[in-house]
Amino acid sequence: MDFHARTDRLAQLLEERLDIRGAGFETKLRRAGRLLPRHLRREGEVLSEALRLSSHPRLGRQVDTKRLAKAADAIESYLLDLDAWDRRRGIAVNVSASVLLNILVVAALVAGVIIWRGLV
């Protein structure tokens, strides 16, 4: 598999697993931000730089293919291990827990005001 096909595959995985939209690997990687661990963001930057260099005839020869394969393998294995539904479920649980906590705080404040005013 050549380098451009590999980055296209990684862009597809970023869209499928992390729900990141964009017009290419570099855009999707930038939008992924903190959804990817720091070491994988660095690997992605290596791949992005190699994409820029590969478009130039002379600089394209300076690209280290073994390093790029290692970086692409690391990102791909991480993305394949992610479960999109589990991630979405975790987000839903966090949002509902936050809403429930806010409701409890408001109820406690209302009860405190009622007791303070002596209405009970």
Side-chain angles (χ1 to χ4, degrees):
M1 185 182 295
D2 72 324
F3 176 63
H4 291 287
R6 193 83 188 263
T7 55
D8 290 341
R9 166 92 170 119
L10 291 175
Q12 178 186 4
L13 283 173
L14 282 169
E15 186 168 345
E16 289 173 3
R17 301 297 175 126
L18 296 177
D19 295 327
I20 296 173
R21 309 279 186 245
F25 176 71
E26 292 177 357
T27 305
K28 290 179 183 181
L29 183 69
R30 188 179 66 245
R31 289 184 180 175
R34 292 189 178 191
L35 294 176
L36 289 175
R38 184 179 298 167
H39 69 281
L40 292 179
R41 285 189 303 242
R42 282 192 215 117
E43 299 289 346
E45 289 171 7
V46 168
L47 292 173
S48 294
E49 182 65 26
L51 276 175
R52 284 190 289 275
L53 288 177
S54 67
S55 64
H56 193 277
R58 288 189 182 186
L59 296 178
R61 291 186 227 145
Q62 295 178 359
V63 174
D64 182 13
T65 56
K66 291 179 184 177
R67 171 77 173 105
L68 297 179
K70 180 182 171 188
D73 287 340
I75 294 173
E76 187 173 10
S77 66
Y78 176 79
L79 291 173
L80 288 175
D81 288 342
L82 283 180
D83 184 13
W85 285 107
D86 187 43
R87 187 174 155 272
R88 289 182 189 127
R89 186 176 35 239
I91 290 170
V93 166
N94 287 339
V95 167
S96 52
S98 174
V99 168
L100 181 62
L101 179 66
N102 288 334
I103 289 172
L104 287 174
V105 167
V106 169
L109 287 173
V110 168
V113 168
I114 289 173
I115 291 172
W116 180 44
R117 289 188 153 202
L119 298 174
V120 175

